[in-house]
């Protein structure tokens, strides 16, 4: 066991850190305020190979490990979680699912442009009445022989309007419950597929979250991933890896808030000395740093298990649970350390606090992570 990153991993982390400072930081406040999708920045992240990080070079990816993915997600999320969620969804939910379970034709047609960042993907599981209880899919994919007829509504879809390729879960045989669900590759522009209005959100406001409507969309049979009825297993398997990405996003939000709080505490004076000299502030910083380090170790451990072909479902749930709770606590404290300045946009911490909240909700709420963890504990 060793705790050192390789030289290559350190270089990748540095590249992400530089990118976040030079490309994401300028304009991040305006993008948040106006809910502007970071299109140019995402294009550049694609050129750097950060949208298909773990995909084999054979399919246009960078062939990096999951540890590097955690490092990149942390660095990008310190500055802009609206951009990093695009990286997370494209890498862990879309590219991973296509590479692991897709057919060779699907990889050639869909994975390569996604891994190169030429196109963006979306993962469509949630519905107005199926969130945590994802088995209650109401979207239907009726088997019509050579195609499926897709009908229904998906809710809260990240990259809803910016994506070109959508992985859509839908019920083909309701009598089989979760074993009757399929996952279909749907292309933007297919007849009967429409995109709803953009959600006006508390946080990650630059990310484009939309509902999607499917009205008699004909999806060719060859666009089904895996065997008939594989859709729910597909969703659960990809979400295990997705949680590593969101855990690392939460870690980045927390560590970004700590960096800002430390810097501010060293500059701000009160009662004739900097507030960093006050033990009340020092103890807050100590608690934040300790929680963040624990969250980082959980993220890296989950990634290490994945890289080494070991089961990582419980580890990724623990990492997401702990890192997202840490992000929320830490950002609240960072605002407190900034006093009144923490309450205004130009100091960045209020945005981090708003962004932190979503990490406790998407890709499985904190309560759902506890269900996943306790299931393993009780085995
Ligand atoms: C900004 C944003 C982006 C998103 N992006 C995507 C995306 O790209 N693709 C996608 O498919 N989905 C996406 N989602 C949906 C997200 O995954 C769901 O919102 C989440 O899974 C919770 O589902 P829900 O909102 O229906 O809440 P519910 O499931 O209705 O939960 C409500 C509350 O009840 C609790 N609860 C529910 N069941 C249990 C239980 N058994 N035990 C204990 N507590 C429970 C929950 O923890 C929560 O506190 C996104 C959501 C948001 C807000």
């Amino acid at each position: 066991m060793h705790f050192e990153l390789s030289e290559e991993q350190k270089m990748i982390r540095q590249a992400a850190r530089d990118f976040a400072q030079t490309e994401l930081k300028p304009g991040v406040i305006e993008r948040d305020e106006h809910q502007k999708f970071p299109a140019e920045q995402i294009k550049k992240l694609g050129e750097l190979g950060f949208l298909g990080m773990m995909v084999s070079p054979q399919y246009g990816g960078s062939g990096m490990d999951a540890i590097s993915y955690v490092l990149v997600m942390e660095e990008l999320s310190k500055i802009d979680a609206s951009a990093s969620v695009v990286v997370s969804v494209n890498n862990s939910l879309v590219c991973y699912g296509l590479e692991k379970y897709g057919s060779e034709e699907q990889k050639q047609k869909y994975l390569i442009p996604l891994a190169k960042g030429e196109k963006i993907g979306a993962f469509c599981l949630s519905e107005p009445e199926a969130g945590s209880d994802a088995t209650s899919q109401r979207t239907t994919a009726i088997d019509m022989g050579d195609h499926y007829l897709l009908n229904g509504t998906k809710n809260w879809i990240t990259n809803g309007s910016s994506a070109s390729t959508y992985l859509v879960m839908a019920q083909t045989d309701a009598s089989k419950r979760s074993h009757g669900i399929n996952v279909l590759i749907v292309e933007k522009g297919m007849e009967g597929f429409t995109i709803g209005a953009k959600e006006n959100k508390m946080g990650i406001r630059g990310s484009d979250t939309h509902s999607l409507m499917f009205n008699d969309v004909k999806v060719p049979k060859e666009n089904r991933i895996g065997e008939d009825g594989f859709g729910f297993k597909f969703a659960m398997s990809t979400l295990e890896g997705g949680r590593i990405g969101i855990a690392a996003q939460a870690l980045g939000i927390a560590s970004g808030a700590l960096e800002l709080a430390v810097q501010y505490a060293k500059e701000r004076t009160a009662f004739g000395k900097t507030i960093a000299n006050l033990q009340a502030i020092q103890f807050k910083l100590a608690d934040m740093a300790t929680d963040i380090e624990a969250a980082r170790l959980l993220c890296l451990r989950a990634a290490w298990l994945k890289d080494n072909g070991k089961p990582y479902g419980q580890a990724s749930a623990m990492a997401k649970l702990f890192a997202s709770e840490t992000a929320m606590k830490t950002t609240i404290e960072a605002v407190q350390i900034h006093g009144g300045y923490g309450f205004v946009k130009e100091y960045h911490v209020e945005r981090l606090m708003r962004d932190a909240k979503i990490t406790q909700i998407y890709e499985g709420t904190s309560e759902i992570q506890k269900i996943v963890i306790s299931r393993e504990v009780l085995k």
Side-chain angles (χ1 to χ4, degrees):
M1 188 176 197
H2 66 94
F3 286 92
E4 270 298 314
L5 296 175
S6 69
E7 284 311 309
E8 193 190 345
Q9 288 163 340
K10 286 182 196 165
M11 274 168 52
I12 294 165
R13 181 176 61 183
Q14 191 59 47
R17 194 172 286 174
D18 293 344
F19 184 88
Q21 286 298 329
T22 57
E23 303 287 342
L24 293 180
K25 198 167 181 189
V28 66
I29 293 174
E30 290 71 25
R31 289 195 301 275
D32 170 73
E33 190 155 357
H34 301 295
Q35 300 201 81
K36 189 169 179 286
F37 183 76
E40 277 168 46
Q41 291 78 1
I42 295 301
K43 188 166 176 286
K44 289 181 183 166
L45 283 165
E47 287 159 8
L48 282 174
F50 286 165
L51 291 183
M53 288 189 66
M54 293 162 288
V55 175
S56 149
Q58 183 191 349
Y59 297 114
S62 308
M64 298 181 202
D65 57 8
I67 298 268
S68 301
Y69 174 52
V70 166
L71 300 175
V72 168
M73 280 301 296
E74 178 179 353
E75 293 305 324
L76 301 180
S77 307
K78 282 181 185 174
I79 306 293
D80 189 353
S82 295
S84 73
V85 70
V86 183
V87 174
S88 185
V89 168
N90 206 67
N91 273 291
S92 341
L93 299 183
V94 182
C95 286
Y96 173 81
L98 277 167
E99 185 171 29
K100 184 152 172 86
Y101 301 112
S103 66
E104 187 53 35
E105 293 72 32
Q106 290 168 348
K107 289 179 197 177
Q108 293 296 334
K109 185 170 177 189
Y110 296 108
L111 176 59
I112 293 176
L114 288 165
K116 287 183 174 172
E118 294 164 358
K119 289 189 173 168
I120 298 176
F123 177 87
C124 316
L125 177 65
S126 301
E127 298 186 354
E129 291 174 79
S132 303
D133 180 10
T135 53
S136 299
Q137 294 286 306
R138 299 219 174 154
T139 299
T140 53
I142 305 302
D143 191 338
M144 305 296 281
D146 63 339
H147 67 274
Y148 286 100
L149 204 57
L150 186 64
N151 278 288
T153 301
K154 292 288 168 183
N155 237 17
W156 315 116
I157 303 306
T158 301
N159 303 337
S161 66
S162 50
S164 305
T165 307
Y166 299 77
L167 306 187
V168 182
M169 276 29 86
Q171 188 69 256
T172 295
D173 185 348
S175 70
K176 293 186 184 160
R177 293 277 292 165
S178 66
H179 299 288
I181 294 173
N182 277 309
V183 52
L184 306 178
I185 305 170
V186 177
E187 293 177 28
K188 184 184 250 163
M190 280 183 169
E191 209 182 323
F193 171 23
T194 49
I195 299 167
K198 187 171 180 164
E199 300 291 348
N200 186 0
K201 306 191 297 293
M202 172 203 289
I204 57 161
R205 287 170 56 79
S207 156
D208 62 325
T209 315
H210 293 256
S211 52
L212 308 177
M213 279 74 74
F214 304 99
N215 186 10
D216 283 342
V217 180
K218 282 186 182 172
V219 185
K221 259 290 172 58
E222 63 261 26
N223 280 26
R224 186 187 75 208
I225 301 177
E227 294 297 306
D228 185 28
F230 179 63
F232 191 70
K233 274 196 181 151
F234 174 90
M236 294 303 110
S237 164
T238 49
L239 281 169
E240 279 190 358
R243 285 168 187 157
I244 300 178
I246 300 304
Q249 179 184 51
L251 167 66
I253 293 170
S255 55
L258 176 63
E259 283 179 14
L260 291 170
V262 167
Q263 189 188 329
Y264 188 79
K266 287 179 177 172
E267 287 164 7
R268 178 69 177 171
T269 55
F271 301 97
K273 52 187 177 184
T274 67
I275 60 169
N277 279 296
L278 303 172
Q279 200 175 55
I281 300 291
Q282 292 167 357
F283 279 15
K284 278 189 198 299
L285 294 172
D287 286 341
M288 290 158 78
T290 306
D291 282 346
I292 288 168
E293 196 53 34
R296 186 176 289 118
L297 290 172
L298 284 172
C299 288
L300 291 171
R301 178 169 173 273
W304 181 89
L305 289 169
K306 183 166 187 275
D307 284 335
N308 286 278
K310 296 174 190 291
Y312 57 92
Q314 186 194 29
S316 66
M318 284 178 168
K320 181 177 183 288
L321 173 66
F322 191 80
S324 61
E325 303 290 321
T326 297
M328 203 66 253
K329 269 198 288 185
T330 305
T331 51
I332 288 173
E333 289 295 50
V335 170
Q336 191 68 15
I337 290 169
H338 279 72
Y341 295 94
F343 207 65
V344 295
K345 292 188 186 293
E346 66 194 275
Y347 283 81
H348 296 280
V349 281
E350 67 81 36
R351 185 185 71 258
L352 294 175
M353 189 182 101
R354 287 185 286 106
D355 287 352
K357 187 63 205 167
I358 192 58
T359 65
Q360 295 177 309
I361 296 172
Y362 58 16
E363 300 204 20
T365 62
S366 291
E367 291 77 14
I368 295 302
Q369 304 312 319
K370 289 183 190 179
I371 294 175
V372 174
I373 296 162
S374 59
R375 205 178 283 146
E376 290 293 321
V377 170
L378 290 166
K379 247 186 192 168

